[in-house]
């Protein structure tokens, strides 16, 4: 009974804006404590359901946000970057289920701090399906036959999860008023909800199908400006679609598409604002 937890930060309880999720800002130390507590109650819930092996993958920014000394002793932690599979590093077929916590909605959608990987990205597509981080990560889990059984985050993230994955359990710990204002539960309240719902998610895990990715997927990333697309298209095998800021890449499988996406969004960040 192995479970995988990918935990991002923008969708953690009480966090309203970048003063919480940027490590140079004044609310960050508070935010990482709340994030660690949120991970711990999910771990506790899984242990109550007989989990024997829980891997937590820190999935925000520099990916070293969780306080290892305060994390539940029964979990193991992946911390730090760079990782070839980023938010789903080390997820494989041996897991019973995956849990995405602290998640946010994709770029261009309502939701607190909504984005897809970086602010250079307007949309990402696998074939004709528009996806954000949640969708891409769920496809990687699906590649290994692993269902995403629970998504926790703001209401936008929960809506996105429910649209993609039938029967998934979701926990909305806050409601976005705008992209940088939320109506939030108290952290203790959402911790109680998470502990309860993760157990429900384990009970219902056989009702959730893995999100199976297509074979030979076409990855298309729409960038916000043409300069970003030009940088991304330095990657061999890519091309810019005529008259757009969309960079196209034909992948062998979803794992190759994922790595291609990581390379392209990093390249696109080389543009200077002007
Ligand atoms: Zn994040």
């Amino acid at each position: 009974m192995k479970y995988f937890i990918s935990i991002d930060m923008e969708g953690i309880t009480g966090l309203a804006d970048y003063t919480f999720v940027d490590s140079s800002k004044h609310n960050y130390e508070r935010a990482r404590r709340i994030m660690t507590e949120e991970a711990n109650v999910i771990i506790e819930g899984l242990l109550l359901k007989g989990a024997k092996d829980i891997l937590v993958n820190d999935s925000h920014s520099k990916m070293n946000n969780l306080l290892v000394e305060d994390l539940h002793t029964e979990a193991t932690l992946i911390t730090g970057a760079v990782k070839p599979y980023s938010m789903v590093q080390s997820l494989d077929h041996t897991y019973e289920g995956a849990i995405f916590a602290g998640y946010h909605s994709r770029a261009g959608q309502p939701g607190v701090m909504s984005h897809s990987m970086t602010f250079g990205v307007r949309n990402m597509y696998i074939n004709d399906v528009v996806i954000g981080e949640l969708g891409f990560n769920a496809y990687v889990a699906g590649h290994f036959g692993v269902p995403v059984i629970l998504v926790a985050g703001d209401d936008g993230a929960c809506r996105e999860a429910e649209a993609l994955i039938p029967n998934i359990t979701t926990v909305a710990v806050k409601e976005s008023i705008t992209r940088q204002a939320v109506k939030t539960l108290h952290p203790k309240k959402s911790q109680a909800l998470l502990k309860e719902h993760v157990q429900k998610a384990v009970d219902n895990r056989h009702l959730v199908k893995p999100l199976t990715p297509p074979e030979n997927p076409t990855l298309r990333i729409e960038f916000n400006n043409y300069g970003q697309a030009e940088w991304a298209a330095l990657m061999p095998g890519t091309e810019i679609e005529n008259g757009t800021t969309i960079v196209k890449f034909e992948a062998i499988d979803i794992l190759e598409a994922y790595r291609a996406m990581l390379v392209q969004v990093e390249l696109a960040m080389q543009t200077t604002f002007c």
Side-chain angles (χ1 to χ4, degrees), residues 8-10 59-61 104 115:
D8 200 355
M9 206 163 192
E10 289 87 349
S59 297
H60 173 71
S61 190
H104 51 81
H115 66 280

Side-chain angles (χ1 to χ4, degrees), residues 81-92:
V82 138
K83 300 178 284 195
Y85 292 100
S86 186
M87 301 178 81
V88 279
Q89 180 63 41
S90 300
L91 176 52
D92 63 26

Side-chain angles (χ1 to χ4, degrees), residues 1 53 86 178 250:
M1 290 284 267
D53 189 328
S86 186
T178 62
E250 311 275 3

Side-chain angles (χ1 to χ4, degrees), residues 121-254:
V121 175
R122 184 176 298 169
N123 280 305
M124 297 194 291
Y125 302 88
I126 288 294
N127 294 349
D128 291 326
V129 182
V130 61
I131 50 166
E133 296 171 21
L134 196 159
F136 219 144
N137 294 337
Y139 268 145
V140 172
H143 171 85
F144 292 112
V146 178
V148 181
I149 60 170
L150 179 121
V151 163
D154 76 329
D155 56 332
C158 293
R159 274 196 305 274
E160 201 168 306
E162 286 158 9
L164 272 172
I165 306 166
N167 301 325
I168 190 167
T169 303
T170 58
V171 180
V173 298
K174 58 190 177 186
E175 202 180 294
S176 89
I177 307 286
T178 62
R179 225 176 138 266
Q180 36 190 351
V182 291
K183 185 169 129 192
T184 184
L185 297 178
H186 189 281
K188 294 283 177 230
K189 176 75 178 179
S190 52
Q191 285 162 27
L193 279 177
L194 282 166
K195 193 168 168 178
E196 179 195 328
H197 280 79
V198 75
Q199 295 178 70
K200 214 177 272 179
V202 169
D203 289 340
N204 292 341
R205 68 188 186 279
H206 297 301
L207 303 175
V208 188
K209 288 203 184 79
L211 188 70
T212 307
E215 280 172 38
N216 310 118
T218 300
L219 166 69
R220 290 160 68 243
I221 305 178
E222 183 181 12
F223 290 94
N224 280 322
N225 70 51
Y226 201 79
Q228 292 162 338
E230 286 175 324
W231 267 98
L234 292 180
M235 197 187 92
T238 60
E239 57 172 315
I240 300 178
E241 288 186 356
N242 233 340
T244 73
T245 57
I246 297 173
V247 181
K248 183 172 150 186
F249 178 75
E250 311 275 3
I252 295 165
D253 60 19
I254 201 72

